[in-house]
Amino acid sequence: MQEITSNRVAFPKPIEVYKPINIYGTNVVTSENEEWKLHRRITAPSFSERNNRLVCQEGMRIASELFALWANHGNDSRVEIEDAVETTAQFALMVIAAAGFGARFSWDDDQKPPPGYTFTFQKALNVVMSNIVFRIAFSDRVLGLWQKGRDVRDGFRDFRHYMLDMIEARKREAPADRRADLLSNLISASDLENSTVEKNSQYSFGNEELIGNVFIFLFAGHETTAHSLAFTLALVAAHQDVQEKLYQSLRDLVPHGEQATYAEIVRWSYGLAVIYEALRLYSPVPTYPKYAAEEYTVVTYSNDGQNTPRTVTISKGARIMIDIAGLHYNPKYWTDPHEFRPERFMGDYNRDAFFSFAAGPRSCMGRRFSEIEALTFLAVLVLNYRFEGTPLHAKETREEINERILRWRMGSLTLCPEKLPLTMVRR
C-alpha cells in the first residue's frame, strides 16, 4: 500500500471520479499532473502555524459561546443535548468560517440577508454543506421545480457571490494587513505565484480557482471533522476511565482555574491519541480510490504468521480501492483492533497502517487544521463538563446506552453516529 500511495505516477487518482465536485472551479483535489502541482504549490502554504493558532483561538471562543448559550437557556450545571452530531457539525462550520474566511457567526443566526441575496452567509454556508450531493445530482432547471430545490440553487449561488465579494475586499487590502485565515493566505500565495508565472503558462490561478479551492476545503474538511469529533465524544462518553484520564492529563498542563492555551493544547498528547483512536475505529471515509497507469509489480506478505513474500502484478488500468476500515482493523498491525485503546498511539505504531488522512503526496493538507480544531473543542469541553450517553428510559442499562450511542450510519458523504444524545454535568 505504501508503494501505491507514494508513487503518484504509477498510481494516480481517478480524477474523473472527482470531477462532479468542480462545482465552483478546478481545485487541488480534482486536478492532476502540472495543474495539480500549481494548485498544491499555492494551497499548501495556507495551512500555516499562524492559521493553526487562529483555529485554536476561534475554537475556544465558539465553544465558550456555546456554554454561555446553555447557561442562558437554563441550568448549565446539567445540560442534555438531543444530538451532539448537530452540535459538532455547527461547531465545525463556525470554525472553518472564522479560520477559513474571517467570518464570525453566532450559534443562533438572527441576521437578515443583504440586498440581492436570498440567504445570509451563514445560512448559505449551511445550505452548501448540507446539499452537496443534491447540487451535483440536479441542474438549476430541475432544482427550480420545487421550493427545496430552489433553496439549494439559491444557496450555492449566494455562496459564490459572497466569496467573490470577500476575494475582492481582501485583494484591496495591503498584503501586510491581511489576516491569518485560509482565504487571505490563498490570495497572498496566488498573488505571489501569478507575479512569477510565465505569461504563456497552460494553467492559471484566478478567482474561479480561489473559490474552487475554498469550496474543496469546506467539502473535505467540514463533515469529516464534525463526524470524527462526534465519534470521539461518543467513545469518550462510553469509556469513563478514558474521560477521566483525558481530564487529568490536561490538568497536568493547565493550572486549575485557567483555560487551555494553544501551547498547552498542542502538547496534549493523550488528547491527540484519543482522537486518532476514534479515527482508527470510525474513519469518516471508508475507502480511497486509485488506478494503475501502467502494469506494476508489488511485493506483499502472507498473513499466515510466516510473512511469506508474495508477488502481485497489477494490470494497467486496474481500479484500486484502499480499504481503510480493513487496514485499521487488521490484527497484523493493531493488537486487539476492535478495542478502544488510545494508548496505542502514545508510543511507536505503524504509521502506514493509519490512513484517516490518506498518505503520500496527496495526503490531507488540512490535517493539522482538523486536529487542532478537534483538540480545542475536546479540551474546552473536558475541562468544564463530565458527560455520558443519555438514557432513553429508566431501565436502559449503561451497556445498552453505550452500544446505542456508538451505532453509525452513512451521512451525505461520510460515516457518522446514528444519533448522539449526551448529558453534560458541570465539573
Side-chain angles (χ1 to χ4, degrees), residues 117-230:
Y117 288 86
T118 303
F119 301 111
T120 63
F121 181 51
Q122 181 174 356
K123 178 61 177 176
L125 200 53
N126 266 304
V127 170
V128 168
M129 289 297 95
S130 303
N131 296 280
I132 291 172
V133 175
F134 224 71
R135 171 71 274 187
I136 291 171
F138 300 109
S139 67
D140 279 354
R141 185 179 64 82
V142 174
L143 289 173
L145 296 176
W146 77 108
Q147 186 59 51
K148 169 67 183 294
R150 289 190 290 273
D151 286 346
V152 172
R153 179 198 63 193
D154 295 346
F156 274 79
R157 180 206 62 197
D158 281 359
F159 176 76
R160 183 178 187 276
H161 291 159
Y162 277 120
M163 293 309 305
L164 285 171
D165 289 345
M166 288 183 187
I167 289 168
E168 292 308 316
R170 300 296 169 81
K171 285 185 173 181
R172 289 193 294 269
E173 296 175 350
D177 295 334
R178 288 177 184 160
R179 289 157 279 189
D181 57 75
L182 295 179
L183 179 60
S184 295
N185 293 345
L186 264 179
I187 291 172
S188 296
S190 65
D191 287 348
L192 179 62
E193 177 71 24
N194 291 333
S195 69
T196 59
V197 72
E198 297 179 8
K199 298 300 181 184
N200 61 350
S201 175
Q202 182 180 357
Y203 302 108
S204 62
F205 201 98
N207 284 357
E208 293 304 310
E209 287 75 22
L210 280 169
I211 299 175
N213 279 286
V214 166
F215 170 72
I216 214 65
F217 292 164
L218 282 167
F219 175 80
H222 170 251
E223 190 174 289
T224 51
T225 301
H227 290 171
S228 62
L229 181 54

Side-chain angles (χ1 to χ4, degrees), residues 47 51-52 55 96 99 182 366-373:
F47 295 94
N51 183 251
N52 291 339
V55 171
I96 203 164
L182 295 179
R367 175 173 183 164
R368 197 57 178 156
F369 185 112
S370 177
E371 290 173 355
I372 296 297
E373 181 181 345

Side-chain angles (χ1 to χ4, degrees), residues 273-285:
V274 168
I275 290 167
Y276 278 3
E277 180 69 340
L279 282 166
R280 186 189 67 81
L281 290 169
Y282 298 97
S283 186
V285 180

